[in-house]
Amino acid sequence: MEERQNATRRSVTKARIKSLKTAGFASWAGIAFASRMPVAMAPLAMVFLVRDRPDGLAEGSLLATLYVIGEMVGAPILGTIASPRRLRQHLAAGLAIGGSAFAGVALFRDAPIWLLMILSLIAGAAPAATPGGVQTILTRQFKEADVPFALSVSRVHATVVWSVAPASVGYLALTVAPFTPFLLGALLFLLSASMLIFISAGSGNIQGKKPDSVKKSVTELSRAWPLFLGTAAVNFLVGLGELELVALLSSKGIQVIWAGPLVAGFSVIGVVGTIAFGLGKWPGNHRQQSTWLIVMMCSGTVICAISSNLLPLALGFLFSGLFVPCFMLVRNLALRDLLPEQFHTAGFSVLYASSCVGYVLCGATASVTLKFSQPQTSLIGAAGAVAVITFASFVVERRLASSRQELTATNSFS
């Protein structure tokens, strides 16, 4: 019996891997890499670019913040106004503008700070709808049963990119020149724009109904606000844990050299968790799954915060990291369930923007809390706040889902 089950699992896995090839996943992975890499490089590259100026570190932080703000603003706006039938063209235009802004930062690196601030905003805002748009297109290439697996592979791909990008920035900025990460980013953005234009039309556009208006899109997206709030909360907790890890280790008398391996392990174990989650079938709906995943993350954070030795601290940190990418995957699936097809690009874009909000808030929170409290105190407080938000979001999401089902049933009866 067990052998038969294992054989069935292997055959399903092979079929899903074959579906990746059939759907042209390699081409879309290339587009995703070329469009994600500059995004992951940009904040740190901003710091390296101006660090030799007077007040360079402060200016670099400002440019990095403006870049993220550009993403936060650009993602929901551009994702909402993008036409499903011309989605590839809209995304390519945004990438081309973003690439031009990256090139401008490299060429005008000695310009007044106000010009670099404008270019940073444009570089963040123009391509901000790309992650959501590419994800929308990608999921249309698969059968519904294979979508979770495809998204899990996409999540692994994103984790690898975000792990490689900082090291690439450091190497290029320190061994070649501080502006070279921006030249590379410009080339990658323009490459991904070209790939979007020349990929077969049948693999890129969505033949869905176009949203009636921006107002209609905003109304529809507003119903998914618990999803966006929960995503921002989790990214806040993850970012805070990474930012305060060095201070946490130091406060417990543990060598801070362990911070690097722990962060690397956080990413690696997240990849393992994502693949396992994408291949398996799990009880409950996506709303229930995301709630339990957050409970696991918060539990790992609390264990990490209260531990006085390296081993339990590391186990808590890694336990939390196991479930973070799984949560992001489930949030995407829940959004697809909640919103009609023509709003998926806008929904994914707002989801991406909400994750940016979480990271921005965690940076501001860390700078304040580390002055007035111990890192373990702020981490426990953050975990508690996220748990409360999770419970409230779960209740609201369930009511919204029930209301939608009742409305659908009423319309069908009518």
Side-chain angles (χ1 to χ4, degrees), residues 39 67-80 124-125 127-133 155 221 227-233 235-236 328 332 335 345-361:
V39 174
Y67 179 86
V68 176
I69 290 174
E71 288 187 291
M72 289 165 46
V73 175
I77 293 176
L78 297 178
T80 299
T130 303
R155 176 58 54 184
L221 290 173
L227 283 168
F228 305 138
L229 179 62
T231 300
N235 279 278
F236 171 82
M328 301 303 176
N332 286 315
L335 190 71
T345 298
F348 286 139
S349 297
V350 176
L351 204 63
Y352 176 72
S354 65
S355 66
C356 295
V357 171
Y359 279 118
V360 169
L361 291 177

Side-chain angles (χ1 to χ4, degrees), residues 333-350:
L333 295 172
L335 190 71
R336 292 181 76 250
D337 293 341
L338 183 64
L339 297 178
E341 181 179 349
Q342 63 266 32
F343 298 102
H344 283 179
T345 298
F348 286 139
S349 297
V350 176

